[in-house]
Amino acid sequence: MIATIDNIKGMLNTLKISHSASALEKILELSNEKGLSYEKFLENLLEHEIKSRSEKKIEQRLKQALFPEYKTIDEFDLAEQQSLSRRQLNQLLEFTWIEQGFNLIMLGPPGVGKTHLAIGLGIHAIHSGYKVIFTTMNDLIYYLKTQEILRSAQTRLKRITEADLVIIDDLMFMAMEKHEANLFFQLINKLYGQTSIIITSNKGPEDWGELLGDPAITTAILDRIVHKCEVINLCGDSYRLKYRTSIFGKN
Ligand code: ADP
Ligand code: MG
């Protein structure tokens, strides 16, 4: 009997049905205990394989997304953020906007939850089957500038162009050189129509021109981003400041 089980495990592994291979004994034992039929046993085994594969895929995609922190939507307190209603958030979580190729621009001063919300949506999107990648604008420009010489930058950019959703955090934190703005335009052009983008920024699109340097490039970038786009204005006091830990007591 042990030889047979080992043999089955070996064959499952050869066929790359590895989750079933490692769970075979346990599922067999359970089936025996419950006196399940062959059909029920096989069904349980296959269900286990499918569930494990999908869990592994999600785990992998969460890793590849390169979120700087794990911030979920559940941890996002909507009562603190009056500018987004529960209904709007639920609509965002349905991800029809990704299907339809919409972009999101999240605006607001520092500390109001732009990055948190973007990451939370990204995590949800992965659980809904989408490929997501997070990058800061700074890193993105670095990848674009070094793609000719660095394999790692090339890989990163490939992941970005293959994603369903790209989160670009803190757009325009620094002024760009024309060459950089051009590279950024080329990337946006590549993503246009196939990938949704979430951009967070503390400056509205009306100010992007001066930061991108070149008016023609700015217009071209804006055209593509704003064509199908929802702007979410997050306002209110900085959550960081409001809930900061203090060295003084509360009274
Ligand atoms: P921003 O990107 O707008 O500067 P962050 O998303 O980095 O702000 O938020 C700053 C900190 O405050 C983070 O730790 C974040 O988790 C928290 N935070 C902001 N808004 C909320 C909110 N509505 N509910 C829970 N935590 C929040
Ligand atoms: Mg931020």
Side-chain angles (χ1 to χ4, degrees):
M1 205 57 166
I2 289 175
T4 307
I5 289 175
D6 281 346
N7 194 17
I8 297 172
K9 276 168 94 171
M11 290 191 283
L12 285 170
N13 278 322
T14 306
L15 292 168
K16 304 214 178 328
I17 311 177
S18 51
H19 299 290
S20 299
S22 39
L24 180 64
E25 275 139 321
K26 212 175 102 206
I27 294 176
L28 257 178
E29 203 179 294
L30 243 118
S31 302
N32 279 332
E33 262 171 35
K34 291 190 187 165
L36 298 186
S37 62
Y38 297 132
E39 292 93 327
K40 217 54 205 157
F41 158 74
L42 191 58
E43 185 182 41
N44 287 346
L45 193 71
L46 293 177
E47 260 173 17
H48 173 78
E49 183 70 31
I50 289 171
K51 189 160 161 268
S52 307
R53 280 189 194 189
S54 118
E55 279 167 6
K56 189 157 178 224
K57 194 158 140 195
I58 287 174
E59 199 183 302
Q60 238 169 11
R61 287 194 174 170
L62 282 172
K63 217 186 267 171
Q64 288 171 347
L66 298 168
F67 296 120
E69 290 178 285
Y70 192 82
K71 295 259 175 183
T72 63
I73 290 291
D74 291 342
E75 293 166 272
F76 192 80
D77 187 357
L78 266 187
E80 290 291 336
Q81 192 40 261
Q82 303 291 341
S83 25
L84 191 68
S85 70
R86 166 61 57 190
R87 190 182 60 80
Q88 286 170 326
L89 181 61
N90 285 342
Q91 211 171 333
L92 289 179
L93 291 172
E94 283 169 17
F95 300 114
T96 35
W97 56 278
I98 294 187
E99 292 299 322
Q100 295 164 349
F102 267 83
N103 300 319
L104 303 182
I105 298 181
M106 292 186 190
L107 300 176
V112 291
K114 301 182 294 297
T115 303
H116 185 146
L117 196 57
I119 295 174
L121 285 173
I123 291 172
H124 249 270
I126 289 175
H127 282 278
S128 302
Y130 296 102
K131 272 187 270 177
V132 180
I133 189 151
F134 180 102
T135 174
T136 61
M137 187 63 185
N138 263 327
D139 286 348
L140 183 61
I141 296 296
Y142 175 75
Y143 305 142
L144 288 168
K145 277 166 60 172
T146 54
Q147 59 183 318
E148 305 291 340
I149 44 168
L150 287 183
R151 166 75 54 100
S152 58
Q154 236 171 58
T155 313
R156 198 58 63 79
L157 285 170
K158 186 161 178 278
R159 289 243 179 93
I160 287 175
T161 47
E162 285 171 353
D164 302 301
L165 171 64
V166 177
I167 299 170
I168 304 176
D169 199 31
D170 268 337
L171 185 78
M172 311 311 159
F173 217 62
M174 70 307 171
M176 268 195 258
E177 291 164 22
K178 183 165 177 188
H179 167 63
E180 297 170 341
N182 228 321
L183 288 170
F184 182 54
F185 166 69
Q186 283 168 29
L187 178 76
I188 294 296
N189 204 26
K190 214 182 255 177
L191 298 179
Y192 181 63
Q194 60 169 29
T195 305
S196 288
I197 306 171
I198 296 181
I199 288 177
T200 78
S201 181
N202 53 12
K203 292 218 160 97
E206 65 282 0
D207 291 325
W208 293 2
E210 88 190 59
L211 293 151
L212 282 164
D214 187 291
I217 298 178
T218 306
T219 313
I221 291 175
L222 272 178
D223 268 359
R224 281 155 184 77
I225 294 176
V226 180
H227 175 214
K228 274 177 147 185
C229 167
E230 196 62 60
V231 178
I232 300 171
N233 265 303
L234 298 179
C235 51
D237 298 332
S238 164
Y239 193 88
R240 271 195 209 99
L241 283 179
K242 193 166 167 193
Y243 292 100
R244 72 189 190 280
T245 32
S246 171
I247 52 172
F248 301 119
K250 278 271 182 243
N251 40 7

